[in-house]
Amino acid sequence: MKLSIHHLNIETTKVCNQNCSYCFNESGPKQKGEVLTSGQWGELLSKAKERGLKSVHLTGGEPFLYNEIIELIEKCVGLGLQTTILSNGLKIDGLTKKHPKTF
């Protein structure tokens, strides 16, 4: 039996530029931990797309603190995936100016 995958939630990092007491996944400025590269995420997404993946939700921590977030967004969009991002918004203004074609 071949499993179908329609949606993925991807936690890009646990690092966050906020330290909210109510954070459900204990993210914050001092968090560390292993993360996948955008290339590794790309491989996973490509394989999941072959199994029916239609949408992806990028979250964190703060996903815009993930060093390869632009590459990951471009990979998601390039695969034709409906892509949403859960962010506190503090980095969006600078990123949209630096990467206008992505946003």
Side-chain angles (χ1 to χ4, degrees):
M1 180 168 106
K2 187 175 179 181
L3 292 174
S4 294
I5 301 170
H6 300 284
H7 177 79
L8 285 176
N9 289 327
I10 294 178
E11 184 177 287
T12 58
T13 181
K14 283 191 117 9
V15 177
C16 185
N17 48 4
Q18 298 288 300
N19 196 22
C20 304
S21 61
Y22 53 82
C23 183
F24 68 90
N25 69 352
E26 300 175 355
S27 296
K30 296 180 183 178
Q31 288 293 343
K32 295 182 182 170
E34 294 182 30
V35 295
L36 297 178
T37 66
S38 62
Q40 290 169 317
W41 279 122
E43 287 179 39
L44 183 142
L45 290 167
S46 293
K47 289 177 182 176
K49 175 78 176 176
E50 292 172 7
R51 294 185 173 247
L53 184 65
K54 302 212 181 314
S55 64
V56 65
H57 182 74
L58 306 176
T59 186
E62 170 51 48
F64 289 116
L65 292 177
Y66 173 58
N67 290 332
E68 299 178 42
I69 191 64
I70 300 303
E71 294 86 351
L72 181 55
I73 292 168
E74 289 173 348
K75 180 65 175 180
C76 293
V77 172
L79 287 170
L81 300 173
Q82 179 183 358
T83 305
T84 57
I85 304 167
L86 177 62
S87 169
N88 61 31
L90 297 176
K91 303 271 297 174
I92 292 174
D93 187 47
L95 285 169
T96 56
K97 290 176 183 168
K98 189 174 179 182
H99 304 279
K101 290 183 181 181
T102 302
F103 296 93

